Amino acid sequence: MIEYRGLKVALLGAGSVGSQVARLLLEHADELASRAGASLELIGIAVRDVDAPRDVDLPKELYTTDAEQLILSADIVIELIGGIEPARSHILQAINAGADIVTANKALLATHGPELFDAAEQVGAQLYYEAAVAAAIPIIRPLRESLAGDRINRVLGIVNGSTNYMLDRMDRFGDTMEDAAAVASELGYLEADPTLDVEGYDAAQKATILASLAFHTTVPVEAVHREGITGITKAQVDLARSEGYVIKLLAIAERIVDETTGEEGLSARVYPALIGREHPLAAVHGGNNAVFVEAENAGSLMFYGAGAGGKETASAVLGDLVSAARRHVAGGPGVGESTHADLPVLEIGRVTTRYQVTLEVADEPGVLAAVAGILSDGGVSVETFQQSVASSDGTLSTATLVIGTHRALESALAATVEQLASNAHVERVVSVLRVEGAE
Amino acid sequence: MIEYRGLKVALLGAGSVGSQVARLLLEHADELASRAGASLELIGIAVRDVDAPRDVDLPKELYTTDAEQLILSADIVIELIGGIEPARSHILQAINAGADIVTANKALLATHGPELFDAAEQVGAQLYYEAAVAAAIPIIRPLRESLAGDRINRVLGIVNGSTNYMLDRMDRFGDTMEDAAAVASELGYLEADPTLDVEGYDAAQKATILASLAFHTTVPVEAVHREGITGITKAQVDLARSEGYVIKLLAIAERIVDETTGEEGLSARVYPALIGREHPLAAVHGGNNAVFVEAENAGSLMFYGAGAGGKETASAVLGDLVSAARRHVAGGPGVGESTHADLPVLEIGRVTTRYQVTLEVADEPGVLAAVAGILSDGGVSVETFQQSVASSDGTLSTATLVIGTHRALESALAATVEQLASNAHVERVVSVLRVEGAE
């Protein structure tokens, strides 16, 4: 029997993830010890209420309400409380006490990441957070380490399972947004207050983390352009399908050049966009997540799996815990956060992408010429132009125009859409969607 | 300007991968230094012929034919010669001289992995080999580190781009095997001697590496059951399509229980198998690779990308180089190879999976009863049973039976197929294919 050095592990929080982490730590103690090169002793679980009901039955004596005392005895602190406070204070306390940290707290990292990374760097502590983005899908470590010798150009992520579930139902089962939301709610995919998911706040937090890592630059969450899926209609989803696209809520981090200044920068943004059916991201169904990475040398890579769940997230937490333990055994600093590139974060207007613009226009002579003229004057080049089913409302008849553009600058496109909206021939701008995942 | 500690890097080999690694090391020196925390000085490139033509134009003075001298001056040695010797001797020499190793040499790792890992462990050196499986797709690091706190149950990999390209053409463009091979050859997907690819030797080497890592067990390449794709016909591919499947050459590493002894073990095998169209692996087209991992807690994960190419492989090599450099700066041992589980490698007969058996039978009374009886006696339970287009050869008419089985033991299935083949009603066993990726 090999004798391992013992490491003391403190767990903060015993919710759906925390209780699974505790269970696995206890059940797989031997296997984890041989992988980590150290035995991992769970010394306590800090909770608000020791007697609250839990998902997993654990020894009562592990629970404590005194997080601060627990932290002071630990080599490694696993923070699974979520939210900003008291998670932030606990992590700072643990760092200053010399512990390494494992956390799944995306909200905290997105808003206070630099503060925590700085604190850790000052004392040589490590902060692991694989579980903060896309649960068990290894994406943090590949970006930090596997692609450390490459140059990432673009990251396209489906990083919110709830909204992907809803959009997938609309696409594959013909649900309306309301129906899809109702089913998602019933299955527990949506919180009582679904705003964080459907308005893209959750995805924006993950975009901040991915963009910061991919581009070695601190990207504040406020700098992420954010649009949710609440405006997406069944008609848009159906039109997308008939044109060979599917609508996905994407978190995008992209290296771009500001066309006006020539300055290199990055864009971080979240919005529902069209993706071609042949794109690997189009096949990400249900509540799954996937992150598609385009790198200068590695080419296109995709990382796919479950994006949520107690056991799934616990798997990522334990992987980080083993890494932290190996580092404790080995000594020496680990991989620090790197912000050496420090690229400017460019606003959404500086982004170029392709667009699908749907208009209702009067079915009368001169319309096409007028629309084409406005697009051309606005610097927006047209790739496809379809006039579909004309309908009649009694007096006038109306036609629907679906315009697919080449890559255009977002600011130019926005100004052009305003021009279109105010043109006498144009009755209504039905929809403006961006097309991602293509050149 | 930050002053970094300098690390000396020796490159062995200047082929399609080596020349890209050298180019990137020189072009991105600053970026790599800030990521590694050390400047990486390329001190030389060992080649057989200094004057041979190369893909990339590099300073002439870097080339040397004296690999041994070069190795002695290096902190990190990148081995990109390929094959067994002299790669093996060079790596052992480098390890003994105290250098860390980065290699993409799957053949060497599959045959001499344990020897190299042991040598490295004795002196505390590290051996990095992300590029040895699926080029730039990060799969080694996720298995070694991200999933270190989980229990992997199964790995299904499309790890040979050439054969995937051929099978994909047969499926999507209706090519025969000969046509597909001709196109693959023309595009450089196949070597002059395609045996390594089409007979599954290359995939078996990767299966060895994946199985060893996933199950913390030394799996010799001879223990990998191997079948190539040369027997796959257009008729099989067409039938698969009509039944909702696609045929892929899979490298499989699976944790299984020997039904006769109750002993836990693992199976490593390579063969062309049916995969359901809805499975994420079915969408891996062309020369791409993907590795699908099923873990106890993480659930299903997939890692997708280009499986070959000079630049792509160079990206993985540089990622490893940055890891090696960080470890040099930090000091202390890295992540060792782990064989603590030491599971027995079970032979193919002990594996259970589903099967599709296609028979040509005489179209006469009693056939179905006879076939069903043989299957039942053999312990093979039938899930689907289809009798298709009967054809007539003048005197007798022939029917085709397509039988889909539930999970059955390979040895039972094989014995049953022998029984079927020798039955008087059965004219020919047309095809026996395994069905993977389903329960």
Side-chain angles (χ1 to χ4, degrees), chain B residues 122-206:
Chain B
Q122 278 179 25
V123 300
Q126 279 283 110
L127 198 61
Y128 298 86
Y129 55 98
E130 184 65 73
V133 179
I137 308 174
I139 179 65
I140 304 300
R141 199 171 270 105
L143 287 179
R144 271 179 122 171
E145 302 182 34
S146 307
L147 290 165
D150 208 330
R151 223 178 135 82
I152 293 169
N153 290 322
R154 186 152 50 167
V155 178
L156 299 178
I158 296 173
V159 291
N160 180 274
S162 318
T163 49
N164 196 59
Y165 181 83
M166 290 165 63
L167 293 171
D168 192 42
R169 277 203 70 94
M170 292 174 74
D171 178 49
R172 295 207 295 167
F173 303 108
D175 282 16
T176 62
M177 176 66 76
E178 292 67 38
D179 291 347
V183 180
S185 238
E186 200 170 311
L187 294 177
Y189 276 113
L190 279 179
E191 305 286 326
D193 173 10
T195 312
L196 275 182
D197 291 324
V198 300
E199 295 295 356
Y201 289 99
D202 173 78
Q205 290 173 349
K206 291 160 179 169

Side-chain angles (χ1 to χ4, degrees), chain A residues 35 148 150-151 302 304 315, chain B residues 31 35 148 150 302 304 315:
Chain A
R35 294 184 192 172
D150 207 330
R151 223 179 134 83
M302 189 170 81
Y304 163 97
S315 170
Chain B
E31 212 160 335
R35 293 182 193 174
D150 208 330
M302 189 171 82
Y304 163 97
S315 170

Side-chain angles (χ1 to χ4, degrees), chain B residues 9-369:
Chain B
V9 178
L11 181 58
L12 312 182
S16 63
V17 180
S19 55
Q20 291 295 332
V21 168
R23 177 182 67 81
L24 291 166
L25 263 173
L26 299 175
E27 278 179 12
H28 294 333
D30 290 349
E31 212 160 335
L32 289 168
S34 58
R35 293 182 193 174
S39 69
L40 301 169
E41 188 200 349
L42 178 59
I43 58 168
I45 308 173
V47 293
R48 260 186 306 194
D49 176 4
V50 167
D51 298 311
R54 316 271 173 213
D55 294 355
V56 174
D57 206 25
L58 298 168
K60 202 83 188 196
E61 62 273 19
L62 283 174
Y63 294 109
T64 171
T65 54
D66 191 346
E68 300 196 3
Q69 192 54 45
L70 181 63
I71 288 167
L72 290 177
S73 318
D75 297 305
I76 301 169
V77 173
I78 304 176
E79 184 276 306
L80 297 170
I81 305 172
I84 309 303
E85 286 294 352
R88 174 182 155 276
S89 302
H90 287 332
I91 289 179
L92 288 171
Q93 189 206 347
I95 288 171
N96 291 324
D100 279 352
I101 312 295
V102 177
T103 178
N105 194 329
K106 57 184 174 285
L108 181 61
L109 288 171
T111 51
H112 294 75
E115 179 191 14
L116 301 178
F117 292 126
D118 283 353
E121 198 172 338
Q122 278 179 25
V123 300
Q126 279 283 110
L127 198 61
Y128 298 86
Y129 55 98
E130 184 65 73
V133 179
I137 308 174
I139 179 65
I140 304 300
R141 199 171 270 105
L143 287 179
R144 271 179 122 171
E145 302 182 34
S146 307
L147 290 165
D150 208 330
R151 223 178 135 82
I152 293 169
N153 290 322
R154 186 152 50 167
V155 178
L156 299 178
I158 296 173
V159 291
N160 180 274
S162 318
T163 49
N164 196 59
Y165 181 83
M166 290 165 63
L167 293 171
D168 192 42
R169 277 203 70 94
M170 292 174 74
D171 178 49
R172 295 207 295 167
F173 303 108
D175 282 16
T176 62
M177 176 66 76
E178 292 67 38
D179 291 347
V183 180
S185 238
E186 200 170 311
L187 294 177
Y189 276 113
L190 279 179
E191 305 286 326
D193 173 10
T195 312
L196 275 182
D197 291 324
V198 300
E199 295 295 356
Y201 289 99
D202 173 78
Q205 290 173 349
K206 291 160 179 169
T208 295
I209 298 172
L210 291 173
S212 299
L213 260 180
F215 301 121
H216 305 276
T217 294
T218 301
V219 180
V221 70
E222 303 77 33
V224 178
H225 173 86
R226 181 189 49 75
E227 299 173 32
I229 65 162
T230 48
I232 298 298
T233 63
K234 183 163 155 43
Q236 285 176 321
V237 172
D238 291 344
L239 176 63
R241 191 187 311 106
S242 73
E243 305 257 321
Y245 291 116
V246 57
I247 298 181
K248 295 288 188 189
L249 181 67
L250 298 181
I252 303 174
E254 192 174 22
R255 185 190 297 274
I256 58 178
V257 172
D258 188 326
E259 292 193 358
T260 50
T261 63
E263 177 188 40
E264 188 174 45
L266 69 88
S267 157
R269 52 195 200 269
V270 169
Y271 47 57
L274 300 171
I275 280 273
R277 290 266 161 199
E278 288 290 302
H279 195 283
L281 284 174
V284 178
H285 299 303
N288 285 306
N289 279 196
V291 180
F292 191 84
V293 178
E294 295 171 37
E296 193 175 292
N297 295 294
S300 298
L301 302 171
M302 189 171 82
F303 304 84
Y304 163 97
K311 272 170 45 168
E312 291 80 357
T313 311
S315 170
V317 169
L318 285 175
D320 277 354
L321 178 63
V322 170
S323 289
R326 284 172 178 163
R327 191 187 84 85
H328 261 276
V329 174
V335 182
E337 281 311 290
S338 157
T339 55
H340 65 83
D342 201 20
L343 294 171
V345 183
L346 303 179
E347 46 153 11
I348 186 76
R350 302 292 92 210
V351 169
T352 64
T353 187
R354 294 165 60 218
Y355 300 85
Q356 184 196 64
V357 180
T358 307
L359 305 175
E360 274 175 18
V361 296
D363 194 10
E364 58 196 16
V367 170
L368 286 188

Side-chain angles (χ1 to χ4, degrees), chain A residues 3-9 29 32-34 36-41 325 329:
Chain A
E3 273 297 320
Y4 293 111
R5 168 173 166 193
L7 291 175
K8 294 186 164 56
V9 178
L32 289 169
S34 59
S39 69
L40 301 168
E41 187 199 349
V329 174

Side-chain angles (χ1 to χ4, degrees), chain A residues 63-85:
Chain A
Y63 295 109
T64 172
T65 54
D66 191 347
E68 299 196 3
Q69 192 56 43
L70 182 64
I71 288 167
L72 289 177
S73 316
D75 296 305
I76 301 170
V77 173
I78 304 176
E79 183 276 308
L80 298 170
I81 306 172
I84 308 304
E85 286 297 350

Side-chain angles (χ1 to χ4, degrees), chain A residues 93-144:
Chain A
Q93 189 206 346
I95 288 171
N96 291 324
D100 279 351
I101 312 295
V102 177
T103 179
N105 195 329
K106 57 184 174 285
L108 180 61
L109 288 171
T111 52
H112 294 75
E115 179 192 13
L116 300 178
F117 293 125
D118 283 352
E121 198 174 337
Q122 277 178 25
V123 300
Q126 278 284 108
L127 198 61
Y128 299 86
Y129 55 97
E130 184 65 75
V133 179
I137 308 173
I139 179 65
I140 303 301
R141 199 172 268 104
L143 287 179
R144 270 180 123 171

